[in-house]
Amino acid sequence: MASRVLVTARACRLCRVGNASLSMLAPRVVNTAILSRLHPTAAMLQRSLTQSQPIRMYGSKKKGGKKGGKQSEEEADKRDPDEDPVDMDKMEKNMQARLERLSSELQSLHVGRANPALLNSVRVQLKGGTANLTDIALVTVKNAHNLLVIPNTFGEHTLIDTSIRNAGLGLNPRLDKNAVIVPVPKTTKESRDKLIKGLGSMAEQTRVQIRKVRHDAMRQLKTAAKASMPKDEVRSWEKDIQTATDKYIAKAEELLKAKARDIEQA
């Protein structure tokens, strides 16, 4: 009996017998002898294809496995020896920002004397939304115990008057034509003691914020130290970071002491 083979689509596409395409025969089983009579070339091609060894396909290896990830981490830890492990300028800039915030809060405290900074936190409700008072009006000192607020736009003095009353500052402004006068009442001993006591809380918040900046810098230094950074160099950087931290905490203490004296003399 003649051997029977599977006609592949490739062999059928290459050959046509009469009007019928051999591709219509695939994947039917066809007698080899019949195929050779129909078309010798097709039979020869069919035998060569069936006798050829199958080709194995290998997928490419995926990169970035466990070993590759470990190497990436090691490469990330490698630093330029000329690059500072900690940006001291940026660190001190962040500490200075905390100090400036404290200074602004201290200026806004009511100590019995007219100070335009008392109204820095006031926001005015306008028709299109809210705005800082200092953005829509000029705030000046009229005398030792009165502030004068002059709106940039005519007619907004009533909105400013209402906003100052509702700001929770304990101030009772009054209208004066197109301006607003804000009397600053004298402080009592009880109110002064309360303000001084509140300075302790403000001081602690500022110290915590400055130390948080130091913590972030120390974490950066620790990462750099893992990349074979000399121990002596690490200790030197730690000393510089701590010195800057102590400097800004001392500045915060000076601001608080100055404000406490100002309150006591009010």
PDB file of all heavy atoms in Angstrom, residues 128-144:
ATOM      1  N   GLY A 128     -16.638  86.979  42.967  1.00  0.00           N
ATOM      2  CA  GLY A 128     -16.039  85.915  42.174  1.00  0.00           C
ATOM      3  C   GLY A 128     -15.261  84.901  42.978  1.00  0.00           C
ATOM      4  O   GLY A 128     -14.619  84.018  42.410  1.00  0.00           O
ATOM      5  N   GLY A 129     -15.270  84.994  44.297  1.00  0.00           N
ATOM      6  CA  GLY A 129     -14.508  84.085  45.145  1.00  0.00           C
ATOM      7  C   GLY A 129     -13.868  84.835  46.297  1.00  0.00           C
ATOM      8  O   GLY A 129     -14.309  85.925  46.664  1.00  0.00           O
ATOM      9  N   THR A 130     -12.828  84.262  46.877  1.00  0.00           N
ATOM     10  CA  THR A 130     -12.141  84.894  48.003  1.00  0.00           C
ATOM     11  C   THR A 130     -10.763  85.367  47.574  1.00  0.00           C
ATOM     12  O   THR A 130     -10.182  84.863  46.607  1.00  0.00           O
ATOM     13  CB  THR A 130     -11.995  83.918  49.175  1.00  0.00           C
ATOM     14  OG1 THR A 130     -11.217  82.782  48.762  1.00  0.00           O
ATOM     15  CG2 THR A 130     -13.352  83.450  49.673  1.00  0.00           C
ATOM     16  N   ALA A 131     -10.239  86.351  48.322  1.00  0.00           N
ATOM     17  CA  ALA A 131      -8.915  86.908  48.023  1.00  0.00           C
ATOM     18  C   ALA A 131      -8.285  87.372  49.324  1.00  0.00           C
ATOM     19  O   ALA A 131      -8.976  87.698  50.300  1.00  0.00           O
ATOM     20  CB  ALA A 131      -9.024  88.075  47.041  1.00  0.00           C
ATOM     21  N   ASN A 132      -6.955  87.385  49.355  1.00  0.00           N
ATOM     22  CA  ASN A 132      -6.255  87.915  50.517  1.00  0.00           C
ATOM     23  C   ASN A 132      -6.502  89.416  50.623  1.00  0.00           C
ATOM     24  O   ASN A 132      -6.493  90.127  49.613  1.00  0.00           O
ATOM     25  CB  ASN A 132      -4.751  87.657  50.402  1.00  0.00           C
ATOM     26  CG  ASN A 132      -4.402  86.192  50.536  1.00  0.00           C
ATOM     27  OD1 ASN A 132      -5.073  85.454  51.248  1.00  0.00           O
ATOM     28  ND2 ASN A 132      -3.369  85.765  49.837  1.00  0.00           N
ATOM     29  N   LEU A 133      -6.696  89.871  51.839  1.00  0.00           N
ATOM     30  CA  LEU A 133      -6.949  91.296  52.054  1.00  0.00           C
ATOM     31  C   LEU A 133      -5.813  92.145  51.504  1.00  0.00           C
ATOM     32  O   LEU A 133      -6.045  93.186  50.878  1.00  0.00           O
ATOM     33  CB  LEU A 133      -7.132  91.571  53.553  1.00  0.00           C
ATOM     34  CG  LEU A 133      -7.250  93.046  53.966  1.00  0.00           C
ATOM     35  CD1 LEU A 133      -8.472  93.694  53.317  1.00  0.00           C
ATOM     36  CD2 LEU A 133      -7.331  93.172  55.482  1.00  0.00           C
ATOM     37  N   THR A 134      -4.583  91.693  51.714  1.00  0.00           N
ATOM     38  CA  THR A 134      -3.428  92.470  51.266  1.00  0.00           C
ATOM     39  C   THR A 134      -3.313  92.550  49.747  1.00  0.00           C
ATOM     40  O   THR A 134      -2.567  93.374  49.216  1.00  0.00           O
ATOM     41  CB  THR A 134      -2.137  91.870  51.843  1.00  0.00           C
ATOM     42  OG1 THR A 134      -2.089  90.467  51.536  1.00  0.00           O
ATOM     43  CG2 THR A 134      -2.089  92.041  53.358  1.00  0.00           C
ATOM     44  N   ASP A 135      -4.070  91.676  49.021  1.00  0.00           N
ATOM     45  CA  ASP A 135      -4.041  91.712  47.557  1.00  0.00           C
ATOM     46  C   ASP A 135      -5.045  92.693  46.978  1.00  0.00           C
ATOM     47  O   ASP A 135      -4.902  93.106  45.818  1.00  0.00           O
ATOM     48  CB  ASP A 135      -4.326  90.319  46.987  1.00  0.00           C
ATOM     49  CG  ASP A 135      -3.205  89.337  47.285  1.00  0.00           C
ATOM     50  OD1 ASP A 135      -2.062  89.791  47.504  1.00  0.00           O
ATOM     51  OD2 ASP A 135      -3.476  88.119  47.304  1.00  0.00           O
ATOM     52  N   ILE A 136      -6.052  93.047  47.758  1.00  0.00           N
ATOM     53  CA  ILE A 136      -7.101  93.926  47.215  1.00  0.00           C
ATOM     54  C   ILE A 136      -7.192  95.263  47.952  1.00  0.00           C
ATOM     55  O   ILE A 136      -8.059  96.074  47.649  1.00  0.00           O
ATOM     56  CB  ILE A 136      -8.472  93.223  47.284  1.00  0.00           C
ATOM     57  CG1 ILE A 136      -8.887  92.979  48.739  1.00  0.00           C
ATOM     58  CG2 ILE A 136      -8.460  91.926  46.508  1.00  0.00           C
ATOM     59  CD1 ILE A 136     -10.325  92.538  48.892  1.00  0.00           C
ATOM     60  N   ALA A 137      -6.290  95.491  48.924  1.00  0.00           N
ATOM     61  CA  ALA A 137      -6.361  96.746  49.689  1.00  0.00           C
ATOM     62  C   ALA A 137      -4.988  97.100  50.247  1.00  0.00           C
ATOM     63  O   ALA A 137      -4.109  96.242  50.380  1.00  0.00           O
ATOM     64  CB  ALA A 137      -7.375  96.614  50.822  1.00  0.00           C
ATOM     65  N   LEU A 138      -4.838  98.356  50.588  1.00  0.00           N
ATOM     66  CA  LEU A 138      -3.616  98.847  51.225  1.00  0.00           C
ATOM     67  C   LEU A 138      -3.859  98.937  52.727  1.00  0.00           C
ATOM     68  O   LEU A 138      -4.822  99.567  53.163  1.00  0.00           O
ATOM     69  CB  LEU A 138      -3.249 100.229  50.672  1.00  0.00           C
ATOM     70  CG  LEU A 138      -2.078 100.947  51.344  1.00  0.00           C
ATOM     71  CD1 LEU A 138      -0.776 100.177  51.114  1.00  0.00           C
ATOM     72  CD2 LEU A 138      -1.953 102.376  50.824  1.00  0.00           C
ATOM     73  N   VAL A 139      -3.000  98.284  53.517  1.00  0.00           N
ATOM     74  CA  VAL A 139      -3.137  98.290  54.973  1.00  0.00           C
ATOM     75  C   VAL A 139      -1.985  99.092  55.559  1.00  0.00           C
ATOM     76  O   VAL A 139      -0.816  98.744  55.382  1.00  0.00           O
ATOM     77  CB  VAL A 139      -3.124  96.855  55.539  1.00  0.00           C
ATOM     78  CG1 VAL A 139      -3.326  96.894  57.056  1.00  0.00           C
ATOM     79  CG2 VAL A 139      -4.203  96.007  54.880  1.00  0.00           C
ATOM     80  N   THR A 140      -2.318 100.175  56.264  1.00  0.00           N
ATOM     81  CA  THR A 140      -1.296 101.038  56.852  1.00  0.00           C
ATOM     82  C   THR A 140      -1.630 101.331  58.310  1.00  0.00           C
ATOM     83  O   THR A 140      -2.723 101.018  58.794  1.00  0.00           O
ATOM     84  CB  THR A 140      -1.190 102.376  56.085  1.00  0.00           C
ATOM     85  OG1 THR A 140      -2.456 103.066  56.172  1.00  0.00           O
ATOM     86  CG2 THR A 140      -0.842 102.147  54.630  1.00  0.00           C
ATOM     87  N   VAL A 141      -0.677 101.941  59.010  1.00  0.00           N
ATOM     88  CA  VAL A 141      -0.871 102.322  60.408  1.00  0.00           C
ATOM     89  C   VAL A 141      -1.385 103.760  60.452  1.00  0.00           C
ATOM     90  O   VAL A 141      -0.711 104.693  59.985  1.00  0.00           O
ATOM     91  CB  VAL A 141       0.450 102.201  61.195  1.00  0.00           C
ATOM     92  CG1 VAL A 141       0.259 102.699  62.620  1.00  0.00           C
ATOM     93  CG2 VAL A 141       0.949 100.759  61.184  1.00  0.00           C
ATOM     94  N   LYS A 142      -2.581 103.954  61.007  1.00  0.00           N
ATOM     95  CA  LYS A 142      -3.148 105.299  61.138  1.00  0.00           C
ATOM     96  C   LYS A 142      -2.556 106.011  62.346  1.00  0.00           C
ATOM     97  O   LYS A 142      -2.174 107.168  62.284  1.00  0.00           O
ATOM     98  CB  LYS A 142      -4.670 105.220  61.266  1.00  0.00           C
ATOM     99  CG  LYS A 142      -5.373 106.564  61.365  1.00  0.00           C
ATOM    100  CD  LYS A 142      -6.872 106.385  61.415  1.00  0.00           C
ATOM    101  CE  LYS A 142      -7.598 107.703  61.567  1.00  0.00           C
ATOM    102  NZ  LYS A 142      -7.380 108.599  60.402  1.00  0.00           N
ATOM    103  N   ASN A 143      -2.464 105.274  63.448  1.00  0.00           N
ATOM    104  CA  ASN A 143      -1.800 105.752  64.659  1.00  0.00           C
ATOM    105  C   ASN A 143      -1.437 104.532  65.506  1.00  0.00           C
ATOM    106  O   ASN A 143      -1.574 103.399  65.046  1.00  0.00           O
ATOM    107  CB  ASN A 143      -2.670 106.760  65.439  1.00  0.00           C
ATOM    108  CG  ASN A 143      -4.056 106.217  65.714  1.00  0.00           C
ATOM    109  OD1 ASN A 143      -4.213 105.093  66.192  1.00  0.00           O
ATOM    110  ND2 ASN A 143      -5.090 107.007  65.395  1.00  0.00           N
ATOM    111  N   ALA A 144      -0.990 104.749  66.730  1.00  0.00           N
ATOM    112  CA  ALA A 144      -0.490 103.659  67.567  1.00  0.00           C
ATOM    113  C   ALA A 144      -1.508 102.546  67.801  1.00  0.00           C
ATOM    114  O   ALA A 144      -1.130 101.392  67.998  1.00  0.00           O
ATOM    115  CB  ALA A 144      -0.005 104.212  68.907  1.00  0.00           C
TER     116      ALA A 144
END
